[in-house]
Amino acid sequence: MQTHATYTSLVAVGDSFTEGMSDLLPDGSYRGWADLLASRMAARTPGFRYANLAVRGKLIQQIVDEQVDVAAAMRPDVITLVGGLNDTLRPKVDMGRVRGLLEEAVERLAPACEQLVLMRSPGRNGPVLERFRPRMEELFACVDDLAARHGALVVDLYGAPSLADPRLWDVDRLHLTPEGHRRVAEAVWQTLGHEPEDTAWRTPMAATSPPRWLARRTADARFAKQHLLPWIGRRLTGRSSGDGRPAKRPELLPYEGPAA
């Protein structure tokens, strides 16, 4: 790995994780780890360019169809690809097909950039993670294999104890808090060969007293009403939270950094 890598451009490909949910800005838009990473890279490289093609809710087939060729045509120095996790959360999924599509994406993106970055996505401790853990680990084994064959870097967020802490996840239990996104940005920054700004991003947060029973049940009810039931409704009707949404930052343009 390079220890003082300098890159002049970044294109991020993926779903809501890369779009930046739930790192909410005052104007109602999302920031997220990719914006934070791009801001750091821009601070050390004049004229740095950044595009973020991610759209929430996208499955790996949609990422391949809608984002991969666009990213490859930009020919940036760095491409990040995170996809397939939404597929693993579906009640029925053909993991062989998911692996094949991820391989197709990597084969098209790796030759189009100086450095392709893949990830083992984080998982929030709880029943959802335990239910889908075998599928997730099958996906991550594929990520590791593809990285070894195509010279990609792998950011192991799944293996970071800090990112499994429910306190680093938003109330929807699917997306990271701003602090979670900050830690992901640090992880990718270090994986790209930059000097650490936070050597303890993997370190779990200090222990606190668990919430009381009533607070947990209230949170569960709010989660079910605001997030779980709408999610189930979209699945039953074949809709996605990303339907009709454009890419977050569709053009590879000079970047100064996200809004505060």
Side-chain angles (χ1 to χ4, degrees):
M1 183 186 301
Q2 291 177 273
T3 55
H4 296 286
T6 299
Y7 298 109
T8 64
S9 53
L10 166 68
V11 174
V13 173
D15 52 32
S16 59
F17 175 68
T18 301
E19 184 184 344
M21 296 174 72
S22 291
D23 186 3
L24 189 64
L25 293 171
D27 66 0
S29 64
Y30 292 105
R31 181 173 51 185
W33 66 266
D35 284 14
L36 294 169
L37 174 67
S39 182
R40 287 194 190 186
M41 298 172 80
R44 64 183 293 163
T45 306
F48 182 85
R49 296 175 301 147
Y50 169 53
N52 190 325
L53 306 180
V55 178
R56 66 195 69 173
K58 293 300 182 182
L59 302 174
I60 187 63
Q61 179 73 71
Q62 294 169 308
I63 291 172
V64 170
D65 291 345
E66 301 167 13
Q67 300 180 33
V68 166
D69 283 346
V70 177
M74 292 177 176
R75 302 200 67 84
D77 288 349
V78 178
I79 296 176
T80 63
L81 168 63
V82 188
L85 201 61
N86 282 335
D87 297 79
T88 69
L89 299 178
R90 296 298 175 101
K92 295 181 180 180
V93 60
D94 181 347
M95 287 303 297
R97 182 171 178 272
V98 172
R99 294 195 308 271
L101 287 165
L102 186 61
E103 181 171 13
E104 180 181 344
V106 170
E107 288 177 346
R108 286 153 65 177
L109 291 174
C113 63
E114 181 178 337
Q115 184 60 70
L116 178 63
V117 179
L118 307 176
M119 296 190 197
R120 294 162 56 91
S121 302
R124 178 187 185 276
N125 282 338
V128 173
L129 175 61
E130 293 310 313
R131 177 179 178 182
F132 295 105
R133 187 186 295 275
R135 293 180 182 177
M136 293 171 62
E137 293 185 349
E138 182 178 349
L139 179 69
F140 299 154
C142 179
V143 166
D144 290 342
D145 176 65
L146 290 171
R149 289 196 279 125
H150 293 275
L153 299 174
V154 177
V155 185
D156 185 15
L157 306 173
Y158 181 72
S162 63
L163 293 176
D165 190 326
R167 291 173 295 176
L168 286 181
W169 294 76
D170 191 55
V171 293
D172 66 2
R173 305 181 183 181
L174 288 174
H175 301 106
L176 292 168
T177 63
E179 172 60 15
H181 280 283
R182 185 198 67 79
R183 292 188 184 218
V184 172
E186 178 66 34
V188 185
W189 174 258
Q190 292 184 25
T191 301
L192 284 170
H194 296 298
E195 293 294 331
E197 294 188 10
D198 175 11
T199 58
W201 73 266
R202 288 177 171 270
T203 303
M205 298 171 64
T208 58
S209 300
R212 296 186 177 183
W213 182 90
L214 181 59
R216 295 199 306 271
R217 297 294 78 79
T218 300
D220 289 343
R222 184 171 62 248
F223 161 72
K225 179 179 180 180
Q226 296 180 358
H227 301 286
L228 180 60
L229 292 178
W231 183 86
I232 292 173
R234 290 195 298 271
R235 299 292 79 75
L236 293 175
T237 57
R239 294 178 292 116
S240 167
S241 58
D243 287 348
R245 289 185 178 273
K248 178 177 182 178
R249 185 180 169 87
E251 297 182 80
L252 187 60
L253 297 173
Y255 188 68
E256 295 181 356

